[in-house]
Amino acid sequence: MHAANPIALDVVDIECLRGDALIFEHLSFSVSAGRVVQILGANGSGKTSLLRMLSGLATPTAGDILWHGEPIRESARFHEQLIYQGISVGFSVSLTVRENLEYALAIAARGAQASTARALARVGLTRYHGTLFGRLSSGQRQRVALARLLLVPAQIWLLDEPLTALDRAGKELLEEMLLGHVESSGIALVATHQPLGIPPGYLQTLDMDRRTAC
Amino acid sequence: MLNPALVAPRPASFAILRREMLRLYRRRGQLIQPPLFFVLVAVLFPFAIGGDEHLLRALAPATVWISVLLATTLSLEDIFRSDQEDGSLEQLVLMAKSLPGACALKALAHWLSTPAPLIAMAALMSSVHDLEADTRSALLISLVLGTPVFSLVGTIGSALTVGVRGGALLLALLILPLYIPVLIFGAGAVRNATLSTATGSEYFFLAGLSVLAATLAPFATAAGLRARLS
Amino acid sequence: MIKTLHKYASPMHFHAVARAWSAPLLWLAAALFLAGLVGGLVLAPADYQQGESFRIIYVHVPSAWLSMFAYLVMAGAGATSLIWRVKLMDAIARAAAPLGASFTALALATGSLWGKPMWGTWWVWDARLTSELLLLLLYLGYMALQSAIDDRRAAARAGAVLAVVGVVNIPIIHYSVEWWSTLHQPATITRLGAPAMATSMLIPLLLMALAFQLLFFALLFIRVRSELLEFEQRASWVREILRQARSR
Amino acid sequence: MSSALREFFAMGGYGAFVWSSYGLTALLLVGNLVLALRRERRVLRELSMRASVGAEHDAA
């Protein structure tokens, strides 16, 4: 077990309501730097809601989420270190792959000068740089999302079902990227049912069902 | 009085505008729809009012302004709808350095995609109908000064109703009362021009409303987006 | 100061205050209504110009005032909830909207009833009435937005943005309608203005205004109570209230 | 006495307008009160039903 780094992300007793339906309550866990958290749970158990709360898009109806002790709502540092990838990966269908990636890089404006060509090469989509995003298969779309992870520097990755349409090579690529990310003391929270090939030392699991039951 | 938050770092704001223009270019076939809709609505009025040339000429300012207002209102829903569907709205809210700045650029892109072609069409139509020179110039000046409010306030409504079922009708209910001052001063300016009484005061009001909308609306749009996505 | 403010802003505490105060407020408002009605309908002399129809002023002016006051409450509560995320304010804003809408409708109806003898028609594009009509549209827009969004908290936040945008626009709408109505309104139509008031006419107006205001707060308290129960339905204090309600 | 009363209701010929204004006001204010109180009762009933269902669910 690696030396326990200081707690980076601390989720304290949060509750999630959708309308009047309780999704989960009294959910607490903490993540130290250099960890991948695999979020398991049945459909509707709140995996996506949890990730949206961690991203700051949604606010928990109770409890708090702290980044290095500071509530994420007030922490600009947290948001500058974050990438959130929802189930719909967030690229415009009427723009080409390269235009989408250049746009994502530009609006984040995190000073990275990485080249989209190299990122596309790494995810094996070089030939598709000029293709409209709308014409890609869902597997290729998730690969473009992986290219964004390579391009936009971020210490925190929030990935919602990033593997669903990826083939075996794609899955291995993501696992390789995740390993590289946590080895440079990054944090990743990944909602997926598929087993992640991450060495146990770096892997932490959070089962949404077991938590709400107790 | 340049609002710092609005001047997002140059590359980001340029990238947002570039993206909107690219998307506009990619569906340039649809660019003709607002002007066509405008002509269609404008053509309806004579059928309703009757062929009396004098009456139609007197009502020309109202016809043009109401047609522009309706055509703009109908196009507002598209500002955020496709972004919300493909998830890029979430990326914009999370990643944009200055969300109000991005919303201001979204409103600018909408103005270029709908009101601008409408003003061109209005100019064309008013020359076809050979309105007097000063009426035509009053019409174009008032449209240019007033329609930014349509886009800016419309973007707030579009943000508040993104992803809502029956959003277009709700959007119209939310923003039409806010469009009425522009309609009053816009059509008023043209009407005064036809009666050749002193215009000018209306232009100042229209310009004032546009400047107020330009500085405040983006912040309301940003808050609206965060509220809708929460 | 913030600490005490926070204590009062807690939903549980406000619910208790609202429950305690609504009945006395209602009784006080009823008493003031009685005094105002006697003063306004019986004691006050008829207006030399408008005759007895001026007595409609005693319901029109207070409801017109409350139609504006309720929107200010909505926008103030909305802005507070947007800036400091105070849950109570969401409940107050949502509770104030239907009240504001009904007072606006009342102001419109009594205004048109008051104007009918003078104008000969039920509706004239008088600046004040037109502004009230647009204010009613703002309320209806707010309430439509609330019902279109399922999640109560997200609806309240979106409504807060709309209320703040609305309150910025109200003076603009009012001024442009004034400018517009002076253009086309022939001088003959006397504007809907309150006539010069003798004190015996003025006192009932103040009594009625106070009665309306207290009634507004009482109604607001009652509505806020049910909003708070819905917002905080999982909280222990709500379960306690439900338990008491069930045992009664 | 009755002529004074009749005169009072006539309101100098404006009786229709004055009394309909006041009637409308009374209707609206009392209506608001009744609706508000009835809504509170409905909310209490709904929530306690939902809470008791919740209670059985937790107990089961």
Side-chain angles (χ1 to χ4, degrees):
Chain A
M1 189 53 183
H2 291 268
N5 308 24
I7 297 295
L9 186 66
D10 205 356
V11 174
V12 180
D13 193 26
I14 61 172
E15 175 195 84
C16 171
L17 286 174
R18 192 171 301 137
D20 297 332
L22 175 70
I23 307 296
F24 57 76
E25 58 180 337
H26 304 311
L27 175 60
S28 300
F29 63 93
S30 53
V31 188
S32 49
R35 280 289 179 283
V36 174
V37 179
Q38 178 166 9
I39 305 173
L40 302 168
N43 300 90
S45 60
K47 299 196 295 294
T48 298
S49 304
L50 173 60
L51 284 174
R52 283 174 63 83
M53 282 181 183
L54 291 170
S55 73
L57 279 174
T59 18
T61 46
D64 221 341
I65 301 172
L66 309 173
W67 172 251
H68 292 301
E70 200 189 1
I72 58 169
R73 222 186 0 269
E74 296 135 21
S75 157
R77 235 160 19 95
F78 175 76
H79 287 285
E80 276 151 18
Q81 286 301 324
L82 168 84
I83 277 189
Y84 168 81
Q85 178 186 317
I87 291 172
S88 46
V89 284
F91 294 109
S92 171
V93 288
S94 52
L95 263 66
T96 69
V97 170
R98 191 152 43 78
E99 284 159 358
N100 266 307
L101 287 175
E102 279 164 2
Y103 169 72
L105 194 57
I107 57 166
R110 291 179 182 171
Q113 292 316 327
S115 90
T116 52
R118 205 146 34 77
L120 280 176
R122 179 104 190 270
V123 297
L125 289 177
T126 312
R127 273 187 317 105
Y128 294 92
H129 65 85
T131 318
L132 288 182
F133 186 76
R135 296 216 176 83
L136 297 181
S137 73
S138 45
Q140 289 168 321
R141 294 185 185 202
Q142 289 190 323
R143 281 174 178 267
V144 178
L146 296 187
R148 177 174 53 197
L149 289 177
L150 294 169
L151 271 172
V152 181
Q155 203 201 349
I156 310 137
W157 289 358
L158 302 174
L159 311 178
D160 198 347
E161 302 289 354
L163 295 167
T164 49
L166 285 179
D167 51 28
R168 209 171 46 74
K171 183 167 174 308
E172 279 157 16
L173 172 61
L174 175 58
E175 284 163 357
E176 193 187 305
M177 286 167 60
L178 277 172
L179 195 54
H181 180 63
V182 290
E183 272 165 354
S184 55
S185 75
I187 285 180
L189 289 104
V190 186
T192 179
H193 288 288
Q194 302 179 24
L196 282 176
I198 303 286
Y202 294 106
L203 187 61
Q204 198 176 316
T205 58
L206 169 66
D207 184 343
M208 298 299 287
D209 299 326
R210 204 166 41 71
R211 292 217 56 74
T212 39
C214 69
Chain B
M1 199 283 302
L2 209 49
N3 188 315
L6 282 188
V7 185
R10 210 191 61 73
S13 43
F14 176 73
I16 294 172
L17 206 53
R18 175 171 172 267
R19 171 183 190 258
E20 294 303 321
M21 289 306 113
L22 274 172
R23 286 178 55 206
L24 213 58
Y25 177 73
R26 294 269 155 72
R27 41 185 179 77
R28 56 192 179 285
Q30 292 167 4
L31 256 179
I32 193 65
Q33 275 174 2
L36 278 184
F37 176 83
F38 164 74
V39 170
L40 182 65
V41 171
V43 158
L44 291 181
F45 280 81
F47 293 114
I49 298 166
D52 167 4
E53 192 49 37
H54 176 67
L55 191 55
L56 282 176
R57 195 176 291 280
L59 289 180
T63 313
V64 171
W65 264 97
I66 289 176
S67 313
V68 167
L69 186 144
L70 289 178
T72 308
T73 305
L74 279 176
S75 67
L76 289 174
E77 206 194 356
D78 300 335
I79 297 176
F80 292 117
R81 187 158 43 80
S82 52
D83 290 349
Q84 196 249 350
E85 280 155 8
D86 58 30
S88 47
L89 191 56
E90 283 172 346
Q91 294 301 320
L92 184 67
V93 169
L94 285 173
M95 307 297 273
K97 271 281 180 277
S98 146
L99 187 53
C103 294
L105 292 163
K106 277 275 184 180
L108 174 61
H110 172 264
W111 191 83
L112 295 172
S113 74
T114 307
L118 290 184
I119 295 174
M121 181 58 81
L124 182 68
M125 272 185 65
S126 53
S127 59
V128 161
H129 282 295
D130 56 60
L131 292 174
E132 297 83 7
D134 51 16
T135 314
R136 193 145 33 88
S137 62
L139 182 63
L140 297 183
I141 295 171
S142 59
L143 281 173
V144 168
L145 289 176
T147 45
V149 175
F150 287 172
S151 289
L152 285 158
V153 171
T155 314
I156 303 174
S158 177
L160 287 173
T161 57
V162 67
V164 167
R165 56 199 182 295
L169 212 57
L170 177 63
L171 174 55
L173 175 62
L174 296 189
I175 54 161
L176 283 185
L178 309 179
Y179 279 179
I180 284 179
V182 174
L183 193 58
I184 288 176
F185 289 115
V190 188
R191 215 174 28 255
N192 286 346
T194 48
L195 310 177
S196 67
T197 49
T199 53
S201 67
E202 294 88 357
Y203 296 146
F204 290 112
F205 281 118
L206 288 171
L209 290 177
S210 287
V211 168
L212 181 72
T215 42
L216 295 182
F219 294 93
T221 310
L225 286 178
R226 289 190 202 285
R228 282 299 301 137
L229 292 178
S230 71
Chain C
M1 212 289 281
I2 296 295
K3 205 70 204 90
T4 52
L5 196 65
H6 195 66
K7 184 168 78 66
Y8 283 108
S10 90
M12 174 176 73
H13 192 88
F14 190 90
H15 185 273
V17 167
R19 183 197 286 266
W21 278 92
S22 51
L25 276 176
L26 278 176
W27 289 115
L28 193 53
L32 286 168
F33 261 116
L34 210 59
L37 285 177
V38 167
L41 289 177
V42 179
L43 302 180
D47 176 64
Y48 66 93
Q49 227 183 6
Q50 296 178 11
E52 302 290 345
S53 74
F54 107 97
R55 296 182 193 283
I56 299 177
I57 192 176
Y58 293 120
V59 281
H60 174 70
V61 168
S63 49
W65 153 251
L66 280 181
S67 69
M68 179 59 68
F69 180 77
Y71 205 93
L72 295 177
V73 166
M74 257 168 62
T80 318
S81 107
L82 280 176
I83 299 165
W84 290 294
R85 284 181 184 270
V86 180
K87 274 184 279 190
L88 170 63
M89 291 302 158
D90 289 341
I92 289 178
R94 278 167 68 97
L99 286 181
S102 43
F103 281 116
T104 312
L106 183 59
L108 270 175
T110 50
S112 123
L113 279 165
W114 184 12
K116 174 81 161 74
M118 284 188 287
W119 301 324
T121 64
W122 290 107
W123 179 260
V124 157
W125 290 99
D126 162 78
R128 216 186 302 271
L129 279 185
T130 314
S131 301
E132 283 291 339
L133 178 64
L134 296 181
L135 183 58
L136 184 61
L137 291 181
L138 290 180
Y139 277 114
L140 296 178
Y142 178 91
M143 291 196 287
L145 184 63
Q146 295 301 295
S147 56
I149 301 173
D150 308 329
D151 178 62
R152 195 169 288 105
R153 266 159 288 282
R157 292 182 69 74
V161 172
L162 183 65
V164 169
V165 169
V167 86
V168 169
N169 273 282
I170 282 179
I172 297 169
I173 290 175
H174 189 75
Y175 183 78
S176 33
V177 165
E178 289 272 344
W179 180 87
W180 165 76
S181 76
T182 50
L183 275 186
H184 73 277
Q185 203 158 37
T188 56
I189 294 186
T190 50
R191 284 170 45 75
L192 195 68
M197 303 274 287
T199 44
S200 62
M201 290 176 173
L202 200 55
I203 294 168
L205 184 58
L206 297 180
L207 286 172
M208 289 296 273
L210 194 53
F212 267 77
Q213 189 73 50
L214 294 183
L215 182 65
F216 171 80
F217 283 121
L219 291 172
L220 185 69
F221 279 167
I222 298 170
R223 279 192 171 278
V224 166
R225 286 192 329 226
S226 29
E227 289 288 338
L228 284 177
L229 290 178
E230 282 185 316
F231 263 103
E232 298 290 303
Q233 54 192 277
R234 314 206 70 78
S236 51
W237 66 274
V238 174
R239 289 187 190 283
E240 181 53 30
I241 288 175
L242 294 178
R243 209 176 43 72
Q244 281 162 7
R246 256 204 301 277
S247 59
R248 239 201 321 280
Chain D
M1 213 332 255
S2 71
S3 75
L5 209 61
R6 210 178 313 106
E7 205 181 285
F8 172 71
F9 282 111
M11 277 287 165
Y14 294 110
F17 304 110
V18 173
W19 293 118
S20 43
S21 301
Y22 280 77
L24 206 58
T25 306
L27 185 71
L28 210 110
L29 298 187
V30 171
N32 254 302
L33 181 60
V34 166
L35 282 177
L37 289 172
R38 192 182 298 168
R39 177 157 186 268
E40 185 175 35
R41 231 174 285 121
R42 183 169 55 79
V43 164
L44 280 171
R45 208 164 1 98
E46 236 172 66
L47 292 187
S48 56
M49 203 179 41
R50 200 176 296 170
S52 57
V53 161
E56 286 139 27
H57 173 70
D58 293 344

